[in-house]
Amino acid sequence: MSHPHRFLLAGVMGMPIMHSRSPKLHNYWFAQHGLAGAYAPLAIHPDGLEAALRALPALGFSGCNLTIPHKVAAMGFVDEVDETARRIGAINCVVVRPDGALHATNYDAFGFVESLREVAPDWRADAGPVVVLGAGGGARAVIVGLAERGAKEIRVLNRSPGRAADLAADLGPPIVALPWEQRHAALADAATLVNTTSLGMEGQPALDLSLDLLPRSALVSDIVYVPLETPLLAAARARGNRTVNGLGMLIHQARPAFRDWFGVMPEATAELRAMIEATL
Ligand SMILES: NC(=O)c1ccc[n+]([C@@H]2O[C@H](COP(=O)([O-])OP(=O)(O)OC[C@H]3O[C@@H](n4cnc5c(N)ncnc54)[C@H](OP(=O)(O)O)[C@@H]3O)[C@@H](O)[C@H]2O)c1
């Protein structure tokens, strides 16, 4: 698709923002598709968030992504929030409509599910119980993605039990909250295991989890992507489980945003993945 009369614009609003890999992803796709455009890191203070969002139409932006600390607050400054984002309780993508209205969604759930499907095309959310460790922002997106894909039982276990209970009460079936102490036993008949805690991330201790009871057929995913192979994924791989690292979620959430803004659904190519891996 060509846009001869318009320079295409989008960006990511956050604070801090210079660590974000999103500009690399979108600017790669501009070049790959021969589109004249740019995607910028936008350092926006919380006090200026509403004004920044409302300026998007006048500046000719097609939309923007939102990251820490704006994903929840921005919901109050847009005109429309879709059902998926409402269930997650946060937005990560704003699309400027032709009339200037701001439509918001959250593609983290899509990104997570696509990252599993890329590695394991035969994976199904309803193949058996899913165990999700953690109940923070990342967990909510993962759980909504799994529920939308038809998971029949999602066990959520979190160090602070109140947060898991709130999440289960908020989202309802098929989500059940279990005590953190049951995390080893909860794996006994699991078909999918997902770590959404920050444990295993660079600078953090490893997740304390025995995989002894986990079926070898289970798919094991970690949404942490620094390092690419967390101690959990290394242990799972060593015993024969298929594993999915967190980089796919980051890349795949960006694809439908680019499509919504610029009309082309871009691909997560091996070249793009290697380019991002080189920055980790
Ligand atoms: N791949 C991607 O695209 C993607 C997207 C989002 C997030 N992430 C990654 O996911 C991780 C979590 O992000 P988030 O936004 O969900 O963070 P968050 O909202 O702050 O949640 C952090 C989670 O980690 C748990 N946790 C932290 N320290 C712990 C410990 N010592 N023992 C047990 N549990 C502990 C917290 O439990 P409590 O509730 O008890 O504190 C909570 O469940 C980060 O590494 C982030 O980079 C990746």
Side-chain angles (χ1 to χ4, degrees), residues 68 71 108 133-139 158-160 163 180 196-199 201 204-205 223-225 246-247 249-250 253:
I68 292 168
K71 286 183 166 191
D108 282 341
L133 301 176
N158 194 52
R159 174 183 60 177
S160 311
R163 223 169 162 192
W180 181 241
T196 72
T197 75
S198 43
L199 294 173
M201 198 167 103
Q204 293 277 331
I223 71 166
V224 169
Y225 57 88
L247 186 57
M249 178 174 174
L250 185 76
Q253 62 77 32

Side-chain angles (χ1 to χ4, degrees), residues 165-211:
D166 286 352
L167 206 153
D170 201 15
L171 296 174
I175 294 118
V176 288
L178 296 176
W180 181 241
E181 295 68 33
Q182 289 182 19
R183 63 193 180 282
H184 318 288
L187 302 181
D189 53 352
T192 309
L193 164 64
V194 191
N195 174 50
T196 72
T197 75
S198 43
L199 294 173
M201 198 167 103
E202 204 170 78
Q204 293 277 331
L207 177 66
D208 167 23
L209 182 69
S210 164
L211 298 181

Side-chain angles (χ1 to χ4, degrees), residues 21-22 24-26 28-29 65 92 107-108 110-112 114-115 118 225 228 245-258 265-277 280:
R21 270 91 185 178
S22 292
K24 283 204 157 35
L25 295 171
H26 291 278
Y28 169 88
W29 287 325
N65 285 126
N92 83 336
Y107 285 128
D108 282 341
F110 171 90
F112 171 71
E114 283 304 295
S115 74
E118 182 183 2
Y225 57 88
L228 271 181
N245 67 42
L247 186 57
M249 178 174 174
L250 185 76
I251 294 175
H252 284 286
Q253 62 77 32
R255 294 174 52 227
F258 191 91
M265 184 66 154
E267 292 306 318
T269 64
E271 183 187 40
L272 175 60
R273 182 176 280 270
M275 198 179 83
I276 302 298
E277 280 183 16
L280 298 179

Side-chain angles (χ1 to χ4, degrees), residues 48-248:
L49 180 61
E50 182 172 13
L53 284 166
R54 287 298 170 194
L56 290 171
L59 289 168
F61 272 57
S62 298
C64 71
N65 285 126
L66 292 149
T67 188
I68 292 168
H70 300 320
K71 286 183 166 191
V72 177
M75 292 177 84
F77 304 138
V78 295
D79 300 302
E80 200 187 345
V81 176
D82 79 358
E83 178 62 21
T84 298
R86 233 176 283 150
R87 277 169 65 76
I88 294 172
I91 62 178
N92 83 336
C93 177
V94 170
V95 179
V96 176
R97 298 286 199 216
D99 65 356
L102 302 179
H103 171 87
T105 185
N106 191 322
Y107 285 128
D108 282 341
F110 171 90
F112 171 71
V113 169
E114 283 304 295
S115 74
L116 299 194
R117 283 159 42 81
E118 182 183 2
V119 173
D122 58 331
W123 171 84
R124 291 181 57 98
D126 61 359
V130 181
V131 174
V132 176
L133 301 176
R140 289 188 77 99
V142 163
I143 288 166
V144 167
L146 290 163
E148 285 182 349
R149 277 279 165 174
K152 295 208 172 65
E153 183 185 347
I154 303 174
R155 301 169 182 163
V156 183
L157 302 94
N158 194 52
R159 174 183 60 177
S160 311
R163 223 169 162 192
D166 286 352
L167 206 153
D170 201 15
L171 296 174
I175 294 118
V176 288
L178 296 176
W180 181 241
E181 295 68 33
Q182 289 182 19
R183 63 193 180 282
H184 318 288
L187 302 181
D189 53 352
T192 309
L193 164 64
V194 191
N195 174 50
T196 72
T197 75
S198 43
L199 294 173
M201 198 167 103
E202 204 170 78
Q204 293 277 331
L207 177 66
D208 167 23
L209 182 69
S210 164
L211 298 181
D212 289 352
L213 298 177
L214 182 72
R216 295 257 180 338
S217 55
L219 186 65
V220 180
S221 162
D222 200 326
I223 71 166
V224 169
Y225 57 88
V226 183
L228 271 181
E229 185 170 76
T230 59
L232 168 67
L233 293 186
R237 186 168 57 84
R239 67 194 292 282
N241 291 92
R242 282 191 294 179
T243 62
V244 183
N245 67 42
L247 186 57

